[in-house]
Amino acid sequence: MGVEMEGQSVVIDRLRTSFRSGVTVPESFRLAQLEALFSLIKENETQILQALHQDLAKPKFEAVLSEIDMVTNELCFAINNLRTWMQPEYVGKNLATKLDDCFVRREPLGVVLIIGAWNYPLQLILLPLVGAIAAGNCAVVKPSEISQATEKLLAELIPKYLSQECYAVVCGGAEETKTLLEHRFDHIFYTGSQVVARSILQAAAIHLTPVTLELGGKCPCLIYGRLDIKAAARRLVWAKFFNAGQSCVAPDYVLCTPLTRDALIPAIREALETFYTPQPRQCPDMGRIVTDKHWTRLTEMLKRSTGTVAIGGESDKEEKYIEPTVLVDVKETDSLMEEEIFGPILPILTIETLEEGIDFINRREKPLALYVFSDEPPVVTKVLENSSSGGFCSNDGIVHMTLPGLPFGGVGASGMGSYHGRWGFETFSHRRACMLRGWGLERVNVLRYPPYQESSLGWLRWATGAKKGWAGCSVM
Amino acid sequence: MEMEVVENARAAFLSGRSRPLQFRVQQLQALRRLIAEKETEIAAALKKDINKSEFDLQLFELIGIDTEIRLAIDRLAEWAAPRPAEKNLLTLSDQVFIQPEALGVVLIIGAWNYPWAVTIQPLIGAIAAGNAAVVKPSELSENSSKLLKELLPQYLDQEMYPVVTGGVPETQELLRQRFDHIFYTGNSTVGKLVMEAASRHLTPVTLELGGKSPCYIDKDCDLSIACRRITWGKFTNCGQTCIAPDYILCEPSIQDRVIEEIRHTLMEFYGDDPKTSPDYGRIINKRHFSRVIGLLEGTAVALGGESDESQCYIAPTVLRDVKPDAKVMQEEIFGPLLPIVTVSGLEEAIRFINDREKPLALYVFSSKKQVIKRMLAETSSGGVTANDVLMHFSVPSLPFGGVGNSGMGRYHGKHSFDQLSHLRACLVKPLAMEGLNQARYPPQCPARLRQARFFMQKAPCSCPPATCVWATLASILALGLLIALLVVLFKVRGENCVHSHTHTHTPLIDTHTISFIVSLTFHTHTLIHRQHTHISYSHDPVK
């Protein structure tokens, strides 16, 4: 059961009391909870797949790779590395503090709030939760109400496997989220849209609560220069139409020269037919749009577009189905270029030069991901060095976010903060600077006390200053 | 006017001239020259603003700035270089790294208590990270602020690093503009407003705020040294330090001694009459003077208590037996009043601290390691110094920042650079080896799914591939050693048998020896393995 019966305040107070008792701090507790979460996934795989299918008609394959395995991978990574992450980090010192212990402790923040999204309803809740648990916090989890089946399942399973004293699921819509945000948390982790993000930041400002915002934007895909067009098309199609285009890191639109476009279209068509058969609607590997409202938004956007449909264009309201669609002759002012598409519609815009493409991208908000397809390394380098984005991937799409060593997050309008792997642990931790001094060497301290002597200054400068080539790195 | 300044700074940033490391180093060197060449002017301005002594200026402001600049210049290439990250099986031949990038235009809002340190130190980070920066020094330290406005354009790129002076209206106007990061040092009340303004543009913020930094004195410690260090940290800059020990917690049995030791130290530091000491500061202005004097309400003065409004002078004052609900315990003092609140011991002290907002700094004095350990483990704060005060601020490799009400984010040294950079996740792949991708494409079947999972799923041992290779080698090596050792021992034993069958001999190798060798081999292997895994993650993943 979610928290319909109990008031939100009661829940949050209970979690805060648990946190203050110190129960979440020991490594053994955190490991136990992470292992319990692992069991939750393993023992309920069928139900999870069912819920995901109910919500998004998510193909089993996609659900396994992008939801279940993402979570279990993250859990394994955290379980295997938790001890290391929890170690104090010893740092380099200056002469005055040579005999002291200087280290950084990673400490839990307290009670954190995790707000999920509907497009990857399992992973967008559980991956941050892994970071929060690993870091020793208590957490309130608020799954998206749009992916209802998953929301219900999480509300049922989480209290069954995790400590109810330390972790709670709160269900509801915009109203419930608003009241939730009136409470004080020690960190808020939000995945979703920019509009809502602003109000979350405002609510957080009242309590000086730090936030992580995983937002979106239009992820550009530059295809330029000499390249293996077939391989590029396959990877592009895979990344674009995965989850029916409803991924925050899906390539939103393509920028390429007219020549490349002409070679690209048939290659995309071929890839689409290989992946989803010539009848994608009948194909079990093709997803659906999450709600009627979102379906309408997409079909309206498509209708208003002045581009030419080169591939696809079909849709069905009852099934919330939109055929994988590619448009050409799309202008910068087109309806498809107004906001993040978040659907299986791929506009192709043409450019003459690479510089033009880079300028186009830089004129717009910084995206969550930026893609370049090219067999020419100088092209890739040029784009990388002359643009900014949350993440960057050349010659593929989406996969950069599956590497736990890379931070996953946005910049500018696409978000702030990051997670995945150790980055999640760090996000939900406070890095406390600690210096343990001894009682000796009080004679040295005398230099700093009044009454001040000019002569002491020289010594102090020498003792506390940085030396050239001085290694201030970890003493490991 | 503010809008124009920000637009110019943005144009300067977009020109790309702050990208090359050479430019950044040049700017940092120029900044260093500014500090060195204009020391006299800076000292004069600070004296006028807050009666800061020349010594304090050096120790608390200029030495720190100089250290940070030299560190940034020295290490910039390393900080700005791509940072390799862990790969999985599918990306073994790809480039996986994190590329630090500039954010754009940063707004730095300084404070008045250490007007140079808290304004220039973030600026060092901003420059090093390749950003443009609009600098807004505090109007309360008027002379320093005017001087900064005059000097900075003389040394640094004028469009890239403009200085905007003014009061609340100017700051508010600035906060309406869009920045890529806002770095604010000041109090929590304004901090909330800054964050709220930033929210409109989804601008990330670093807030270096304050709070009441507690100072627990255990009865088991060298009281004389402890009180001396505390006195130094408390009354320097007339108590106007964000990490000054705000109040003392100690057992009633040592209160009198603490007061006596502080009295003795004050005598040593400032003489009979601190008002006449050149080393003792003043309160910044009349408003704060009245505020601090007001905090004396309802307290028992053990030392000091004198004041002179005309000079904004308040004597170093110690208050005894202060009640938790006294006025002086309700807000950050930021002045030379040192209340002593008695507690029954460590337990109560920890409870007392945890009942309040998380402070910027926490101090604990004890000769017992256990006491310090417990205090660390059971409380939270921005930073901690045990058996001294303020000092954790002085080590650039320690992150300096608050938590909860005392702030968010961190800086100093490399932390400044990282705080004002975007750490961009990068995966650079070739279009070749398309075969590897087959498993993840539709149409899907169980066999393909299994294959895909094999490549992408983490095994229970989720060490990076390098560690796995290393672990395998270590295992082979260890096993080889074990075998070699056993062979040698058995051989020797065999020879013994052959050549000395007239003697009774004790076996050279028995179960104890074998188990010893096996466990030695095992531990060596584990040590090597763990060491390597440890090293893999000892890089500060930062941000």
Side-chain angles (χ1 to χ4, degrees), chain A residues 193-260:
Chain A
S193 75
Q194 283 170 23
V195 172
V196 177
R198 274 192 195 93
S199 47
I200 289 186
L201 252 186
Q202 271 177 350
I206 297 174
H207 298 293
L208 284 173
T209 301
V211 300
T212 304
L213 302 174
E214 296 277 329
L215 311 177
K218 295 180 77 60
C219 299
C221 180
L222 254 167
I223 305 183
Y224 195 84
R226 188 194 67 234
L227 76 159
D228 176 347
I229 199 90
K230 281 211 168 131
R234 291 162 74 84
R235 296 177 188 190
L236 170 62
V237 164
W238 177 79
K240 175 66 184 189
F241 299 105
F242 197 92
N243 206 28
Q246 297 161 115
S247 311
C248 42
V249 285
D252 189 276
Y253 63 96
V254 166
L255 289 170
C256 63
T257 60
L259 215 63
T260 309

Side-chain angles (χ1 to χ4, degrees), chain B residues 186-231:
Chain B
N187 65 62
S188 308
T189 314
V190 178
K192 289 179 186 172
L193 296 173
V194 171
M195 191 170 169
E196 206 256 317
S199 72
R200 284 178 234 137
H201 297 292
L202 287 176
T203 301
V205 300
T206 304
L207 303 174
E208 296 278 329
L209 310 176
K212 294 181 77 60
S213 300
C215 180
Y216 175 68
I217 308 179
D218 190 41
K219 65 175 187 288
D220 271 296
C221 79
D222 186 330
L223 271 179
S224 161
I225 295 181
C227 292
R228 204 188 229 148
R229 297 179 179 183
I230 293 169
T231 307

Side-chain angles (χ1 to χ4, degrees), chain A residues 17-172:
Chain A
T17 310
S18 297
F19 180 75
R20 275 199 73 164
S21 75
V23 66
T24 56
V25 174
E27 182 191 332
S28 51
F29 177 87
R30 306 184 201 187
L31 278 175
Q33 296 301 306
L34 292 172
E35 311 243 352
L37 198 51
F38 195 89
S39 305
L40 185 161
I41 303 289
K42 283 288 169 213
E43 291 168 16
N44 296 283
E45 204 171 291
T46 320
Q47 282 170 285
I48 293 173
L49 292 173
Q50 262 170 12
L52 288 169
H53 190 82
Q54 220 175 310
D55 284 329
L56 284 149
K58 204 175 274 244
K60 174 178 168 174
F61 178 77
E62 285 188 8
V64 166
L65 277 195
S66 69
E67 298 254 37
I68 292 183
D69 279 8
M70 284 280 295
V71 178
T72 51
N73 279 356
E74 186 84 358
L75 277 164
C76 281
F77 198 76
I79 290 169
N80 288 315
N81 292 292
L82 186 60
R83 176 162 298 179
T84 312
W85 295 348
M86 285 177 68
Q87 293 304 314
E89 179 199 348
Y90 285 86
V91 302
K93 302 171 273 200
N94 55 32
L95 256 158
T97 50
K98 258 298 181 260
L99 295 181
D100 307 320
D101 271 342
C102 291
F103 55 93
V104 179
R105 264 174 65 97
R106 263 80 177 165
E107 302 184 341
L109 294 169
V111 180
V112 306
L113 171 63
I114 298 170
I115 303 176
W118 54 259
N119 55 336
Y120 292 88
L122 189 79
Q123 135 333 40
L124 293 176
I125 282 280
L126 294 186
L127 253 65
L129 183 57
V130 169
I133 296 175
N137 300 287
C138 289
V140 172
V141 154
K142 161 75 189 70
S144 168
E145 71 280 12
I146 295 175
S147 43
Q148 280 178 2
T150 314
E151 179 200 40
K152 206 157 148 246
L153 190 62
L154 284 171
E156 179 198 319
L157 292 178
I158 286 179
K160 246 171 90 180
Y161 285 79
L162 298 187
S163 159
Q164 292 193 29
E165 300 302 305
C166 301
Y167 313 103
V169 182
V170 170
C171 298

Side-chain angles (χ1 to χ4, degrees), chain B residues 283 285-293 309 312-314:
Chain B
I283 302 298
N285 61 23
K286 296 268 188 320
R287 184 170 71 82
H288 278 280
F289 174 88
S290 309
R291 180 187 65 80
V292 175
I293 292 290
E309 188 168 356
C312 283
Y313 165 80
I314 301 178

